[in-house]
Amino acid sequence: VTVASSALIHFGGDESGSNTSLTFSNITIANNSGDAVSIPTSASVGVEWAGRHSGHNASICAGPVTVVNVDLPLYSSLFLLQWGREESGQGVGMTLREGDSIFDKVVLSSHSSVIQARWVGVESGGGFEWSQDKGSTAIFSEITMFGSYTNVIVFTSLQRQSLEKGRARIGGSIVFDQVEMDMYSSLFAFDVLGPTSGSDLQVVVEEGGSITATNIDASSMFVSLLTLHWEKGSSGHGGGAVVNGSVHFENVQGGIGSSYLALWWSGESSGDNMRLWIGEKGSYVVERCDVQQSVGAFINVFWNSSNS
């Protein structure tokens, strides 16, 4: 089955699409027998704000979602939100609603992802929040990655002064089961690539919330299952992770340089006042798992440049 066209919403002009509220519910992309659904380039379901100063305070809710037997080509996403120009996409809320969302038998090519939010311009994405309601379960099973730099869920900013004060609040459950990973890939990631960006950016697993990863082949080099990465200088001040719920890894086979939870600052003068907190009612459990070589770790907090 080949999907001839995508379900895309496009705001093309400057100062467009702000204060927009969009709800995607009861979405099914599946072929339960025969060939996999072949997704077109770019995205299957997506919203794009292409102009300057666009898409502020947008609210996007999704779920429940059912995805079965889908192939993604290079540089594509199954669900994509993208802000293409400067000073766009600030104060955005992205919510996975109550109910079960199932992503089963998905094949990812290089640089592709299941869920992606992406800010291309400078000074974009400030105050972004990804939230998962209590009672919401997202199950990603039999996910195969063919090619490097692939992600299941990823939030990316490319330019300076972006993704400031971002949050991921996980009040429900995210389950990854039977995932085959490739080099430089992640299950859940913030990837902040511009300088002076991503300060006070945190992932919070709330009380009652959980992230579970079981039966994961992470034997390729430099795989990081849960990742917060700041690439350039003067970035990630006050960033970190807070676990008041449950993070559980079981039967994960790590490779050279693999990390289970990684907080990684690559640029100079970055990552001060960081926080990694496992609360009184929180838990971080690793069972029947391994890493290889000295650069692998179950928890990896890594500063790579001077004055950091």
Side-chain angles (χ1 to χ4, degrees), residues 32 48 298:
N32 293 311
E48 181 181 29
F298 294 128

Short mmCIF file of all heavy atoms in Angstrom, two decimals, residues 32 48 298:
data_model
loop_
_atom_site.label_atom_id
_atom_site.label_comp_id
_atom_site.label_asym_id
_atom_site.label_seq_id
_atom_site.Cartn_x
_atom_site.Cartn_y
_atom_site.Cartn_z
N ASN A 32 -2.96 -4.44 8.06
CA ASN A 32 -2.77 -5.62 8.92
C ASN A 32 -2.36 -6.87 8.16
O ASN A 32 -2.08 -7.89 8.77
CB ASN A 32 -4.05 -5.88 9.71
CG ASN A 32 -4.33 -4.76 10.71
OD1 ASN A 32 -3.44 -4.38 11.46
ND2 ASN A 32 -5.54 -4.24 10.69
N GLU A 48 2.69 22.48 9.58
CA GLU A 48 3.87 23.30 9.32
C GLU A 48 3.50 24.78 9.33
O GLU A 48 2.53 25.19 8.69
CB GLU A 48 4.50 22.95 7.98
CG GLU A 48 5.76 23.77 7.69
CD GLU A 48 6.38 23.47 6.35
OE1 GLU A 48 5.64 23.08 5.43
OE2 GLU A 48 7.60 23.62 6.22
N PHE A 298 25.00 3.26 32.33
CA PHE A 298 23.57 3.21 32.61
C PHE A 298 23.02 4.61 32.85
O PHE A 298 21.88 4.90 32.53
CB PHE A 298 23.29 2.30 33.81
CG PHE A 298 23.63 0.86 33.55
CD1 PHE A 298 24.44 0.15 34.42
CD2 PHE A 298 23.14 0.20 32.43
CE1 PHE A 298 24.75 -1.18 34.19
CE2 PHE A 298 23.44 -1.13 32.20
CZ PHE A 298 24.25 -1.82 33.08
#
